[in-house]
Amino acid sequence: MGASDIREPNRTLISQGPYEILEVTEQERLERVVREHEIDAIYHLAAILSATGERNPQLAWHVNTLGLHNVLEVARELDLVRVFHSSSIAVFDPETPKDFTPQETILHPKTVYGITKVTGELLGDYFNKYGVDIKGVRFPGVISSVAPPGGGTTDYAVETFYEAMKNGRYTCFVEERPVLPMIYMPDGLKVTLDVMDADLSRLKNHTDFNLAGVSFSVGELASKIRKHIPDFEVSYVPDYRQEIADTWPHSIDDSAAREEWG
Ligand code: SER
C-alpha cells in the first residue's frame, strides 16, 4: 500500500510504505506513479473542501473536477485500477429534506464544493461504462483525533476539542443550534474499505451512497466536553460558513448502503 500528497511526508508515513509527492491535477505524473508502483486501486481523497472552496471557487473546481477526471482516465487506460471517490453531504441543498435525507433526492448544491461533488458522482457513474470499478460515499463531517481540520464547514466539530484542551474556550463560526451529520474517522475508514470490497455487479448505486454516523450541534458537543473541562466556554460568531451549514441536512438515511453492501 502506498500514499501520496502534495505535502512532505512525516516519518510515520514513510515507514509504512512507498510515498510520492503528487499533484492530482498532473495526469502524466499520476499515471507514471500508478504504473511504477503497480497500483491496482486508488483511494482518491484529494479535494478543496467547502469553506476554502467558497474563498477560491476557481481552485476548488480545478482540483476537484480535473483531479477526479485524471484519476478516472488513468483507471480507464490501465484497465486494472479500481477507484474510491469521496463525495459529501455538500451535494444536498436547502430544498433537500433535512431530516433522514433520502438516497434519491434534490441535488442543487449552493457551494462550488457541492457542485464538484455532484459532478464527481455523475462522472464516476459515466466511467462505469468503460468498465472502471468506481465507488463512493457521501461523507458527513469527519472527526479525527489525529488529523487537524482542513478547510471544511464541519471543521468546528474538531476545532472544539482542540480549543477546549488548549485554551478552555472556543469562538465558533456557526451558531449553537444547527445539527449536522458527522462520522468518526475510524468508522469512515472502515466504510471506505467495505464499499470497495462490495461486488460492483450487485450494486444499484455506485458513487453516491448516503452515509450516516452521528448528528449533533456545537452546543451539545460543548455540554459533553464540560463534563471533562467544566469551565469550557464557547461563544458564537457565525460567518459565511453558517450559510453553508444552513444548506446541509441534519441527519441521513443510509439504508441503501446498508442494503446493498452491508
Ligand atoms: N467536511 C466537509 C466540509 O465541511 C463536508 O464534506 O466541507
Side-chain angles (χ1 to χ4, degrees):
M1 208 192 311
S4 73
D5 200 341
I6 53 173
R7 286 173 291 202
E8 292 290 335
N10 60 30
R11 273 202 206 142
T12 322
L13 268 178
I14 291 188
S15 67
Q16 285 175 348
Y19 184 96
E20 293 280 351
I21 294 182
L22 179 62
E23 170 59 69
V24 75
T25 53
E26 290 170 12
Q27 190 184 329
E28 264 175 44
R29 181 156 148 67
L30 174 68
E31 182 167 341
R32 216 176 320 132
V33 166
V34 169
R35 279 185 196 279
E36 218 166 89
H37 295 283
E38 299 177 352
I39 302 293
D40 64 1
I42 300 178
Y43 292 77
H44 174 52
L45 306 172
I48 303 292
L49 294 184
S50 59
T52 313
E54 287 313 281
R55 289 291 193 227
N56 194 343
Q58 293 84 356
L59 181 71
W61 177 259
H62 182 69
V63 171
N64 297 6
T65 55
L66 183 61
L68 176 63
H69 189 259
N70 286 345
V71 168
L72 291 170
E73 275 297 316
V74 168
R76 184 178 67 83
E77 272 166 31
L78 302 189
D79 231 13
L80 279 176
V81 184
R82 297 177 302 127
V83 175
F84 174 83
H85 172 243
S86 54
S87 189
S88 162
I89 52 167
V91 297
F92 301 121
D93 81 349
E95 285 152 52
T96 310
K98 288 217 183 296
D99 295 309
F100 216 49
T101 301
Q103 179 69 44
E104 301 301 335
T105 187
I106 306 162
L107 306 179
H108 288 153
K110 298 290 181 285
T111 59
V112 69
Y113 174 67
I115 294 168
T116 65
K117 291 296 167 185
V118 175
T119 307
E121 290 182 356
L122 296 173
L123 196 64
D125 272 343
Y126 180 76
F127 269 72
N128 271 164
K129 88 174 196 182
Y130 298 119
V132 176
D133 176 351
I134 171 168
K135 294 162 188 144
V137 296
R138 292 170 174 160
F139 275 116
V142 179
I143 301 189
S144 166
S145 63
V146 182
T153 302
T154 55
D155 285 11
Y156 65 83
V158 182
E159 282 176 9
T160 311
F161 288 100
Y162 279 95
E163 294 302 311
M165 297 288 291
K166 253 192 319 197
N167 304 318
R169 57 170 58 239
Y170 178 48
T171 305
C172 185
F173 56 79
V174 298
E175 289 160 2
E176 183 175 2
R177 293 172 64 98
V179 167
L180 287 184
M182 307 283 173
I183 193 166
Y184 185 43
M185 178 72 88
D187 295 335
L189 295 176
K190 179 178 184 312
V191 159
T192 303
L193 298 177
D194 286 355
V195 73
M196 287 295 274
D197 279 345
D199 177 356
L200 188 73
S201 65
R202 297 178 57 175
L203 300 183
K204 188 166 148 267
N205 298 81
H206 302 108
T207 52
D208 59 357
F209 282 103
N210 273 9
L211 175 64
V214 58
S215 294
F216 55 80
S217 67
V218 199
E220 287 168 316
L221 191 57
S223 71
K224 298 288 182 200
I225 292 176
R226 270 187 214 110
K227 292 194 172 156
H228 304 274
I229 306 175
D231 296 335
F232 179 46
E233 278 173 35
V234 185
S235 49
Y236 299 92
V237 184
D239 64 17
Y240 69 102
R241 289 168 282 190
Q242 177 67 50
E243 267 174 55
I244 303 177
D246 286 341
T247 69
W248 290 357
H250 302 148
S251 60
I252 304 287
D253 171 9
D254 64 2
S255 48
R258 289 168 194 273
E259 280 156 25
E260 290 182 45
W261 47 276

